[in-house]
Amino acid sequence: MGLLAKGTALPWPEAKKNADHVRQWGIEQLLAIWRRAKGKERDVLLWGDEIEYLVVAFEDERRKVKLSLRQADILEALANDGDLCEHGGCVPDLQTVHKTADTLPVFHPEFGRYMLEATPGKPWGIGFKDLLDVEPNMKWRRTIAKDHMDPNEYPITLTTFPRLGTRDDYICPYFPPSGPMLRSQFLPDEIANPHIRFPTLAANIRSRRGRKVEINVPIFKDQHTSIPFKDPTVHYDLHRWPEDDDVRNGAAKIDHVYLDAMAFGMGSCCLQITFQAKNITEGRRLYDQLSPLGPIMLALTAATPIYKGFLVDTDVRWNQISKAVDDRTPGELGEAPLENDRWRIPKSRYAANSTYISQDIRLRKEYMDPDLIIDKDIKHKLVDGGMDDLLATHFAHLFIRDPIVIFAEDLQDLDLNKTDHFENLQSTNWQHIRFKPPPHDNDTGWRVEFRPMEIQITDFENAAFAIFIVLITRAILSFDLNFYIPIARTTENMETAHVRNAVLEQKFYFRKNPLPLRPIKISNASGTTTPTQASRPPTPFGPVEDEYALLTIDEIINGQQLDGFPGLIPLVESYLNSVNVDVETRCELARYLDLIRKRASGQLWTGAKWIREFVKDHKEYVGDSVVGAGVCYDLVKAVEEVTKFEGMGKGVGVEMFRVGGK
């Protein structure tokens, strides 16, 4: 998350009146960026990662663990640390940060007052030394954060806190639920960062849709789970806010865990990777080619089997966040006539991508989203301003949304040397891959953000997945790989990724032959290389359906036998062979690739499976899907142990790291 703007945030009735104003000014700023930066060239690809932490506080004498709402205090302690200041500082929201030879990591606030975000102090390069520095840097970030917390507090990397929203005192300090901004049955307003952007974002989403957000996660039906399951935490007789009628009108579904606030989604942690391309052409190509990989990496990093103190029948967070920020009205959802709205909109503003944007001769019209909604007037304006049809379509789709948070001070003048109005809409379209134009005030280039991956428990795992996706981009660009499939299939794959144990039990649509016309050598599992056959010509003909098939995650990552899909890891290893990596570095990288390989094959567990099995094996768990306070305490204690020791020997969590506990 970038620096937070300050100002007077407009409530939704006022923001709605100014929405088109902001939209039009945003397009003017986008065209200014286009004219200024469309020819910008960088020397090499740079990249960065974002790690998000939950801050938990243990009360060992009571066997309780809570979320600590001390984000602001921790950031202030970091900013006031004299030693850190001497090395340039690390909290740009509170101080001027200076780059030094040994650049410190950077810490930012996040949506939840119990969250921290940490990034490397400077971008990573593509050099292999940089790749090997990622894990130590992640460990360093966690150490710095921990050093500025209370003795009983810890930064952990779980996607969600297992008992967020339960009826007990799961936060410290404690605040009662049902404030005026969230109006949640389960969460207090104080759980969100107090910066005006966050409560306004939550309140205006609720106001725009005309009711609270509605998130229903299917319950995991265990041996003693009540069937039908009716969420026992839902209060049907509240009458404090008009939105309290939601549950009386059917918002809480049978056999589901009901969540009713933005914080249940935006209070989640994830691992995000941003790439700076050498130019816009390379950036557009990466955006397209990474898109089909999103659902695969979501399923492979699955780590979210618990919501609000219940085991659920999904393994990942994505749809819960999507619903948590879904501002569509009943008309836009197709639940009511279109009276005051312009379109029926198929997806939330947090969703899988709906566009391809590369001017690649292999991009067929059959791959495009048949349900894509665009603002035709905006597209016309962009094309008239010199933008090509594909990219104009992409932004005309993003700009069907309304800006949710508008600051009154930003409505005075249009400054074409800024990007505030453009970013107002760009940054609240949370697609699984984001295409990011250069900012106005520095030398940054065109960027692509890879957003679907779940955060992992350890820094080793997070480094492994970050390095793997970086190496995939190198293979894509070096070998001219083609992963195109129809956008509708990627959208289906995102849904498939939510299925419990999808990594082993589901199949995903994936392109059968990603290889270019020119032959290359692909490493197989034994380490030898075999020449590949040339793929079909760059401009393909014939049925699109012949180009892809349903594959398992194992087949996609590790490859099929004989003449099937070569596998992402063999493609990466072929890239490494082509650049003559030294033996020592190759061995270090092999540790990370081995984790990915064995997670895909099922030899190693995902975080979601380990968490689920920990709960099911706990002596206090009675097979009713309930994750009680004692179970939660022991689980988070175990997570802290896994973070430190990574399953060493036959330690806690070994199933995620070593086959057979060795």
Side-chain angles (χ1 to χ4, degrees):
M1 178 172 295
L3 297 179
L4 296 173
K6 297 180 180 179
T8 306
L10 301 181
W12 178 245
E14 291 302 311
K16 183 178 180 180
K17 295 175 185 176
N18 290 280
D20 197 55
H21 181 178
V22 172
R23 202 168 10 245
Q24 295 305 319
W25 278 10
I27 290 301
E28 293 291 345
Q29 289 180 337
L30 173 58
L31 284 171
I33 297 168
W34 170 256
R35 289 188 290 267
R36 183 169 59 243
K38 62 183 177 181
K40 177 176 278 192
E41 294 279 343
R42 304 294 299 155
D43 292 333
V44 293
L45 180 142
L46 300 174
W47 67 280
D49 67 87
E50 297 179 17
I51 297 285
E52 294 169 339
Y53 306 101
L54 303 177
V55 181
V56 297
F58 289 106
E59 297 178 5
D60 293 328
E61 67 284 356
R62 298 176 58 206
R63 287 190 66 244
K64 293 272 289 185
V65 62
K66 301 178 182 180
L67 286 172
S68 172
L69 305 187
R70 292 198 329 107
Q71 176 193 91
D73 297 330
I74 296 166
L75 289 172
E76 188 173 346
L78 287 162
N80 291 335
D81 184 306
D83 289 339
L84 296 180
C85 289
E86 285 184 11
H87 288 86
C90 60
V91 189
D93 291 83
L94 299 178
Q95 63 188 151
T96 300
V97 172
H98 302 284
K99 303 299 182 185
T100 63
D102 191 18
T103 304
L104 291 170
V106 172
F107 294 88
H108 289 287
E110 259 295 344
F111 179 89
R113 283 176 64 188
Y114 51 84
M115 299 172 71
L116 291 176
E117 177 191 290
T119 61
K122 59 183 179 181
W124 300 114
I126 194 53
F128 295 105
K129 180 183 183 301
D130 277 11
L131 293 181
L132 298 185
D133 284 343
V134 172
E135 183 185 354
N137 187 274
M138 289 180 175
K139 291 180 183 294
W140 188 30
R141 290 177 234 172
R142 197 188 296 260
T143 297
I144 292 173
K146 169 56 185 161
D147 287 346
H148 294 81
M149 296 177 183
D150 286 346
N152 68 324
E153 291 177 332
Y154 292 87
I156 63 170
T157 42
L158 287 177
T159 48
T160 62
F161 184 68
R163 289 181 58 80
L164 176 68
T166 56
R167 291 296 182 190
D168 62 352
D169 56 340
Y170 61 89
I171 52 174
C172 59
Y174 176 76
F175 296 94
S178 201
M181 303 304 276
L182 297 182
R183 302 190 182 183
S184 170
Q185 284 200 17
F186 313 108
L187 304 177
D189 285 359
E190 290 84 358
I191 207 162
N193 185 314
H195 185 282
I196 191 61
R197 179 179 187 268
F198 297 107
T200 302
L201 186 63
N204 285 1
I205 285 174
R206 173 179 48 76
S207 296
R208 189 185 188 280
R209 60 182 273 122
R211 52 190 169 177
K212 290 189 290 187
V213 296
E214 183 179 309
I215 310 162
N216 284 280
V217 192
I219 191 71
F220 171 70
K221 295 179 181 179
D222 209 345
Q223 183 178 1
H224 299 298
T225 306
S226 299
I227 303 297
F229 176 82
K230 188 175 181 180
D231 189 335
T233 67
V234 176
H235 195 327
Y236 286 89
D237 198 32
L238 284 178
H239 296 275
R240 184 173 183 184
W241 308 107
E243 294 86 352
D244 290 334
D245 286 341
D246 289 358
V247 293
R248 291 185 283 274
N249 293 329
K253 308 300 183 188
I254 297 297
D255 291 336
H256 289 74
V257 178
Y258 172 64
L259 315 171
D260 69 348
M262 181 177 170
F264 282 112
M266 285 306 209
S268 306
C269 298
C270 67
L271 169 66
Q272 294 179 178
I273 311 297
T274 300
F275 303 96
Q276 178 181 266
K278 69 177 183 180
N279 53 37
I280 188 172
T281 300
E282 185 176 274
R284 293 169 71 163
R285 186 174 165 199
L286 285 176
Y287 174 90
D288 282 12
Q289 296 303 325
L290 288 173
S291 183
L293 301 179
I296 311 308
M297 299 308 296
L298 177 61
L300 193 58
T301 57
T304 319
I306 303 174
Y307 276 96
K308 209 177 65 176
F310 297 100
L311 284 174
V312 294
D313 208 30
T314 59
D315 271 0
V316 300
R317 78 201 187 285
W318 186 269
N319 279 350
Q320 283 67 262
I321 309 178
S322 176
K323 294 170 184 174
V325 295
D326 191 353
D327 68 333
R328 289 176 294 171
T329 66
E332 290 168 337
L333 285 163
E335 299 173 353
L338 274 175
E339 295 177 348
N340 300 312
D341 304 299
R342 294 185 288 174
W343 307 284
R344 299 211 189 282
I345 302 178
K347 296 178 180 178
S348 167
R349 63 198 300 152
Y350 196 115
N353 287 19
S354 295
T355 59
Y356 285 131
I357 62 174
S358 178
Q359 293 174 308
D360 188 327
I361 59 174
R362 302 170 299 183
L363 175 58
R364 302 177 63 174
K365 61 180 177 58
E366 294 93 336
Y367 302 154
M368 309 305 272
D369 187 348
D371 300 319
L372 187 70
I373 306 296
I374 67 168
D375 187 316
K376 293 181 180 178
D377 291 337
I378 284 177
K379 179 178 176 179
H380 183 73
K381 187 171 185 176
L382 291 171
V383 171
D384 283 351
M387 190 175 290
D388 61 89
D389 186 86
L390 269 177
L391 200 56
T393 298
H394 169 76
F395 287 114
H397 169 63
L398 299 187
F399 272 64
I400 65 172
R401 311 289 179 174
D402 281 336
I404 297 298
V405 180
I406 298 174
F407 292 103
E409 293 79 1
D410 293 338
L411 298 173
Q412 304 304 313
D413 298 296
L414 171 61
D415 188 343
L416 294 180
N417 290 316
K418 292 184 178 180
T419 59
D420 51 343
H421 300 293
F422 167 71
E423 288 294 343
N424 194 321
L425 283 142
Q426 160 88 353
S427 66
T428 54
N429 273 275
W430 296 280
Q431 299 185 327
H432 81 280
I433 313 290
R434 181 181 280 163
F435 184 65
K436 303 174 72 171
H440 72 283
D441 57 352
N442 60 39
D443 201 30
T444 303
W446 296 87
R447 293 152 296 155
V448 175
E449 187 175 64
F450 191 79
R451 301 172 44 79
M453 292 191 291
E454 306 249 293
I455 197 75
Q456 304 295 287
I457 293 174
T458 69
D459 299 307
F460 167 66
E461 296 166 278
N462 286 315
F465 282 106
I467 290 167
F468 178 59
I469 204 68
V470 170
L471 291 174
I472 288 279
T473 65
R474 295 295 85 196
I476 288 170
L477 297 175
S478 296
F479 296 151
D480 198 24
L481 299 178
N482 176 10
F483 293 124
Y484 277 126
I485 60 173
I487 284 171
R489 299 289 85 81
T490 296
T491 301
E492 289 182 54
N493 283 347
M494 287 293 281
E495 292 301 314
T496 302
H498 286 74
V499 176
R500 176 165 48 89
N501 207 26
V503 66
L504 298 183
E505 298 179 7
Q506 298 298 312
K507 291 188 174 183
F508 295 77
Y509 293 106
F510 212 75
R511 191 174 186 89
K512 291 188 285 189
N513 186 0
L515 301 172
L517 185 60
R518 68 182 188 276
I520 61 173
K521 291 184 177 181
I522 301 299
S523 298
N524 59 32
S526 67
T528 61
T529 61
T530 55
T532 66
Q533 298 297 316
S535 69
R536 63 180 69 206
T539 305
F541 298 96
V544 166
E545 292 76 15
D546 290 347
E547 298 176 0
Y548 60 88
L550 283 166
L551 305 181
T552 65
I553 296 281
D554 187 24
E555 290 170 331
I556 293 168
I557 297 295
N558 294 318
Q560 295 176 300
Q561 298 298 317
L562 302 176
D563 295 327
F565 182 76
L568 297 180
I569 283 185
L571 287 168
V572 163
E573 290 177 329
S574 296
Y575 164 71
L576 293 173
N577 289 341
S578 74
V579 291
N580 298 316
V581 183
D582 66 85
V583 173
E584 183 178 354
T585 300
R586 189 68 180 267
C587 289
E588 287 296 311
L589 292 175
R591 295 172 52 241
Y592 301 122
L593 296 180
D594 196 52
L595 177 78
I596 310 297
R597 179 185 290 112
K598 290 176 179 176
R599 286 275 175 95
S601 70
Q603 293 173 277
L604 298 179
W605 290 6
T606 63
K609 182 173 182 179
W610 178 77
I611 292 169
R612 191 181 299 277
E613 294 302 318
F614 183 97
V615 171
K616 291 171 70 176
D617 290 342
H618 196 281
K619 63 183 179 182
E620 295 179 19
Y621 178 70
V622 296
D624 59 356
S625 307
V626 175
V627 181
V631 178
C632 181
Y633 170 83
D634 289 339
L635 172 61
V636 179
K637 275 287 187 183
V639 165
E640 179 62 17
E641 184 174 343
V642 171
T643 302
K644 291 179 180 177
F645 300 111
E646 298 173 354
M648 291 297 292
K650 294 186 178 181
V652 176
V654 65
E655 302 90 345
M656 293 183 282
F657 303 98
R658 275 169 290 286
V659 177
K662 298 179 181 178

